Amino acid sequence: ASSFQVLDGKYSKDFMDVFYAGKKLSGASASSFKVLGDDYAKDFMDVFYAGKKISGASASSFQILGNGYAKDLWDTYYQ
C-alpha cells in the first residue's frame, strides 16, 4: 500500500503491478510504466490502450498524435 500511486486517468501502480480501472494489467512492468495520454500507456516492451495491450505496437517508437490517434514506426492507431 505504501508504494501505491494513482497515475493519470484510470491507470495506477504499486511497486510490483500496474492497474487499469482497478484491474491488474498482466505483463506490464511497473518500473518502466508511464502514461502517455488519451488513455494510451507503455512500458519498456509493450503499449496499452484503455488497459489492453496493443499487439505488435512498438513501445520504443510509439507516439501520441492526439484526438485518439497514435503511431509507431510501422502503423497508425485509433483508440
Side-chain angles (χ1 to χ4, degrees), residues 1-5 13-15:
S2 64
S3 68
F4 184 81
Q5 54 185 303
K13 71 177 185 175
D14 63 18
F15 178 70

Side-chain angles (χ1 to χ4, degrees), residues 46-67:
D46 297 309
V47 179
F48 302 86
Y49 177 76
K52 296 182 181 176
K53 183 179 169 182
I54 301 174
S55 182
S58 169
S60 62
S61 65
F62 199 84
Q63 301 175 28
I64 299 301
L65 300 174
N67 297 318

Side-chain angles (χ1 to χ4, degrees), residues 4 6-7 15-16 21 25 30-32 35 42 45 48 51-52 54 57-59 69-72 76:
F4 184 81
V6 175
L7 300 174
F15 178 70
M16 298 287 292
L25 290 182
S31 63
S32 65
V35 177
K42 70 178 183 176
M45 289 278 297
F48 302 86
K52 296 182 181 176
I54 301 174
S58 169
Y69 288 92
K71 71 175 186 172
D72 65 12
T76 300

